[in-house]
Amino acid sequence: MTAPQEHEQQERRRHLAAVPEAGPEPGAQPTVRTVPGHVVGTSAASGWAGAAGRRLGALLRAGLARHAALARDWIADNEVEHRARLAARRRITRDRVHAEKRQAKGKTEAQKADAEVQLARAQREPGEIEVTARMAGIRSMRAAVCAAVPTGVVAGPVYLTLAQGEWATLLAWPAVAGYLAVQEWAAGTPTGGAVAPGSAPVAHAAPSQAHPPEAPVSTGAGPSVLDPDPEPEAGQDPPVVARSESEQRVLARLRRWAESAAERNMRGVQAGEPVLDELGIWVRLHLSGRWTPDRVRKHEDQLRSMLGVATRTRTQLLAGAADDDMVLRIRTRSRDLDTTWSPTSHGLGLDTDTGEPVDISDADRMLVCGASGSGKSWALRPLMARTVRTHHDHLIYLDAKGEEGRLWRGRARVATSPAEIDQVVSELHHEMVRRGQAMVGTTWQGPRLVVVVDEGRVVLSNCEKATIQALIDISAMGRSRGIVLRWCTQYPTTSGEQPGVHKQILPNVDQQLCLRVRSAIHARVGLGDEYAHYKPQEIPTEAQGAAYLAGYGPTLIQGWRLDDTAVAELPERDPWHYGQDDADVEEEDDWIGAQHAVTAALRDAGGQASQSALVEATGYSPSAVKQALKELKGAGRVTKGESHRAPWRLL
């Protein structure tokens, strides 16, 4: 190669080699290379398209993640266990009703024995195996639904397009994508970047007053649970810091209230700042739009599901200061109360919120209902003991079950067999009629008779029709005449072949005490339609003696525990019988009533009768009749002949 050729080749290599670009000098303008005939464009269009794509992708990913989380929560919802237990209890109720019908219609001993075996099985609580199996079935069904929806959206248009030629079905994909994007955009999901699967925006509750005056908090001031380390203010109790796992779960979901409420079409219900105190969690709810307190109560199960409340934890929806305010109570805690009865104990029992005693009037007629094992008999003992300890009052105990009555013999008039109950009720009815004739005013001023019927269903099934009618009359007219009826049953129904309380007795009661019952139907009878939302069917099984009192508010009352030993230590009393001397009260304070009774008896006897006949006709004691005749003779209304056996005559 000649020298000129070698030089030319080196020049060609130098021009073809990559030359490093030098950066612009400091302060110099960048050099822009242009091509003739072309307009120099910027990257704004491509940048906007990229940002929009990233925004749309983030919305779609967030929507898919949110709906996947919703599906997961729906499948693993705590409400599944609640539904499974309700279904198991409904099955037991159907079995019990079927067994009772078979027992009533059984003609042979074998049929009746078989029905009794089935009835005994139907009295048991649902087994955990059955509940677990039902939970598995419900969750499997929900999982199948959650899998079927996306599968149908993805595969359905492909099948219809290939098999049927329906190309328009492919529009389902952009429609679903648009739906997810719009949902996330409406929910205000951040779109500056990709949203991690399972993450969701946290909606913090608006700050509110920690303890509003109308909030149902009895003592102390609970700290805000949104503050992880609240500091107690001067003069306040130290904050509650030991939170259980279930409380942590509820509080975490309360922080996402706005998002969760929107997903469940409850945007008109807004939650304030939750507070944790010695009774659990409470939060104020503000209602707007079409939401009313009654509508919120109907959606209580949905609220429990949304917050992940444990199945055995009670919730209460209380009235707020205004019609558009409510307070949601989640009873994750309870007071440690000493409910041992003593002679100084007062009332039915203690309010589980305040620890204060709750009482009713001695003159109030009462319905007490509760399932077997709920502590119904124990709930009555404090009131029965008070009657025994009151000198002038008498206790009459119609114990159709024959179990509790043996403890009260020697302290009350006890009847257990149907014949004994018929006899005692007949005497009570005659006493009510006698007192009505002897009354001067509108209220009886003499000794009070407290009549306890337990079990009402057995009485209605086994006693004579005349006895049942007499009890209806006593429930309607006995209160003003000093005869108070208290009806107890574990089957609070008014219809069917064997009702627990007669439909003509229920409207006459003044108080309704309801312990744990089996169903919402029993709750409506036990507390009335107005207070059935207390939900006594959700009282825990282990809470024996705990009850709701209609009209007292949805606050549990824990009854006094008066055991057999305490009953045996009550003072002994002579049992009441019709026609007996009602102590000095009748002789001293009721002689005016005896005058009316004697006058009526003389008129019924044709104008004359002996003193012994007047005692038998009026039911008053001989001394009361003698005093009444003396006063009537002094007033010139009756007279008697000189003979000792001469009858008294009405002038």
Side-chain angles (χ1 to χ4, degrees):
M1 181 180 296
T2 61
Q5 291 176 341
E6 184 177 359
H7 176 73
E8 184 180 356
Q9 188 175 6
Q10 289 177 354
E11 286 294 321
R12 188 182 297 112
R13 290 174 181 169
R14 184 174 64 84
H15 286 291
L16 292 176
V19 179
E21 296 182 1
E25 295 292 335
Q29 295 294 328
T31 302
V32 180
R33 300 180 64 181
T34 62
V35 178
H38 289 77
V39 179
V40 179
T42 65
S43 61
S46 60
W48 177 86
R54 288 192 298 272
R55 180 185 180 91
L56 181 60
L59 286 173
L60 293 178
R61 286 192 296 272
L64 290 173
R66 186 161 66 92
H67 282 75
L70 286 176
R72 184 171 58 252
D73 290 344
W74 187 51
I75 295 172
D77 199 341
N78 290 331
E79 186 186 6
V80 171
E81 182 180 357
H82 179 66
R83 290 178 178 272
R85 291 189 182 277
L86 286 180
R89 287 171 182 165
R90 284 195 294 267
R91 193 268 306 167
I92 289 178
T93 302
R94 289 194 300 268
D95 292 347
R96 184 172 62 251
V97 172
H98 180 67
E100 290 172 353
K101 289 182 179 179
R102 289 192 59 186
Q103 187 180 30
K105 296 179 180 179
K107 297 181 179 180
T108 64
E109 293 298 330
Q111 292 176 344
K112 292 182 179 180
D114 183 49
E116 289 179 359
V117 172
Q118 292 186 1
L119 185 59
R121 291 176 181 173
Q123 300 294 340
R124 302 172 184 173
E125 289 293 324
E128 291 300 324
I129 296 178
E130 179 183 0
V131 174
T132 303
R134 290 182 179 273
M135 289 172 58
I138 295 174
R139 288 200 166 107
S140 299
M141 183 63 68
R142 292 188 175 189
V145 172
C146 292
V149 172
T151 301
V153 171
V154 173
V158 175
Y159 170 77
L160 292 175
T161 299
L162 297 178
Q164 305 292 335
E166 298 289 343
W167 296 93
T169 57
L170 294 176
L171 295 175
W173 294 342
V176 171
Y179 167 78
L180 294 175
V182 170
Q183 286 288 318
E184 287 304 306
W185 175 80
T189 303
T191 57
V195 180
S199 65
V202 177
H204 293 279
S208 62
Q209 186 179 353
H211 274 283
E214 67 276 7
V217 180
S218 56
T219 58
S224 167
V225 296
L226 292 182
D227 184 4
D229 295 307
E231 294 293 336
E233 297 181 4
Q236 288 187 342
D237 296 332
V240 182
V241 294
R243 305 171 189 169
S244 65
E245 182 179 350
S246 61
E247 288 173 340
Q248 293 282 19
R249 180 175 63 253
V250 172
L251 297 178
R253 296 198 180 190
L254 279 171
R255 295 188 185 98
R256 302 194 300 269
W257 177 280
E259 179 188 4
S260 301
E263 293 168 354
R264 296 174 183 264
N265 295 323
M266 298 180 66
R267 294 182 179 86
V269 182
Q270 301 172 2
E273 188 174 356
V275 173
L276 180 64
D277 61 15
E278 58 187 352
L279 298 176
I281 302 170
W282 67 267
V283 59
R284 178 184 292 173
L285 305 180
H286 179 71
L287 312 182
S288 61
R290 297 183 178 181
W291 286 93
T292 63
D294 288 340
R295 186 181 178 188
V296 174
R297 289 191 180 98
K298 292 179 181 178
H299 288 74
E300 184 173 355
D301 288 342
Q302 192 170 351
L303 285 176
R304 291 176 60 93
S305 174
M306 183 174 73
L307 298 178
V309 180
T311 304
R312 296 183 178 274
T313 301
R314 293 186 298 117
T315 54
Q316 295 172 314
L317 287 166
L318 311 176
D323 290 341
D324 59 350
D325 275 339
M326 297 189 74
V327 175
L328 172 62
R329 261 281 187 198
I330 305 173
R331 301 281 181 165
T332 56
R333 306 182 180 207
S334 60
R335 287 177 177 270
D336 186 13
L337 300 174
D338 182 11
T339 56
T340 304
W341 182 88
S342 68
T344 59
S345 298
H346 183 65
L348 292 165
L350 298 179
D351 186 316
T352 56
D353 282 0
T354 64
E356 297 295 326
V358 181
D359 197 8
I360 65 170
S361 171
D362 288 334
D364 283 347
R365 297 160 293 187
M366 192 175 188
L367 171 66
V368 181
C369 56
S372 178
S374 62
K376 176 169 48 63
S377 298
W378 286 70
L380 279 171
R381 286 185 177 185
L383 296 180
M384 295 169 66
R386 184 164 67 183
T387 302
V388 171
R389 292 173 57 84
T390 303
H391 176 65
H392 294 306
D393 294 350
H394 296 279
L395 177 65
I396 294 92
Y397 191 19
L398 309 181
D399 182 21
K401 295 189 298 183
E403 300 171 357
E404 183 81 4
R406 58 183 177 81
L407 295 173
W408 296 90
R409 292 191 182 276
R411 296 163 184 84
R413 174 80 180 274
V414 179
T416 55
S417 67
E420 290 178 332
I421 294 174
D422 291 339
Q423 174 62 30
V424 173
V425 173
S426 177
E427 293 183 26
L428 287 169
H429 193 269
H430 281 84
E431 177 69 9
M432 182 185 68
V433 174
R434 182 190 71 79
R435 291 186 175 191
Q437 296 173 350
M439 283 171 55
V440 177
T442 58
T443 305
W444 176 257
Q445 301 299 327
R448 181 181 290 112
L449 304 179
V450 179
V451 184
V452 177
V453 178
D454 184 21
E455 153 72 35
R457 185 182 192 183
V458 179
V459 171
L460 294 178
S461 300
N462 298 338
C463 291
E464 299 291 339
K465 291 184 178 180
T467 300
I468 298 173
Q469 184 58 49
L471 288 171
I472 295 173
D473 295 342
I474 291 172
S475 71
M477 300 180 291
R479 186 179 190 273
S480 61
R481 304 178 187 186
I483 303 178
V484 180
L485 181 65
R486 288 175 178 165
W487 192 278
C488 311
T489 181
Q490 55 182 299
Y491 303 98
T493 57
T494 57
S495 59
E497 297 180 357
Q498 293 181 317
V501 56
H502 201 282
K503 61 183 179 181
Q504 296 184 41
I505 292 178
L506 180 61
N508 297 326
V509 299
D510 305 302
Q511 303 287 350
Q512 292 176 259
L513 186 72
C514 189
L515 294 90
R516 176 179 53 84
V517 292
R518 291 188 175 89
S519 65
I521 297 176
H522 290 179
R524 285 196 291 271
V525 176
L527 290 174
D529 291 335
E530 185 178 359
Y531 304 108
H533 65 271
Y534 293 179
K535 295 188 176 181
Q537 66 272 21
E538 296 181 0
I539 296 177
T541 306
E542 60 273 12
Q544 288 191 343
Y548 289 111
L549 183 64
Y552 185 73
T555 301
L556 271 180
I557 300 169
Q558 184 61 52
W560 295 110
R561 295 189 62 83
L562 198 159
D563 57 16
D564 297 355
T565 303
V567 173
E569 293 175 353
L570 292 173
E572 294 187 359
R573 296 283 303 276
D574 292 332
W576 173 87
H577 291 276
Y578 176 70
Q580 74 175 29
D581 186 356
D582 284 335
D584 295 335
V585 177
E586 185 182 88
E587 297 179 9
E588 297 176 2
D589 299 336
D590 197 40
W591 59 270
I592 296 179
Q595 290 183 28
H596 290 278
V598 167
T599 303
L602 285 171
R603 189 179 297 110
D604 294 339
Q608 64 178 14
S610 64
Q611 183 172 330
S612 60
L614 292 175
V615 170
E616 182 177 358
T618 60
Y620 277 79
S621 65
S623 59
V625 172
K626 181 178 179 180
Q627 179 69 18
L629 289 171
K630 180 180 178 181
E631 297 293 335
L632 290 172
K633 182 179 180 181
R637 298 177 60 185
V638 298
T639 185
K640 183 183 178 183
E642 297 293 333
S643 172
H644 177 70
R645 296 184 177 181
W648 286 89
R649 299 179 184 275
L650 184 64
L651 298 178

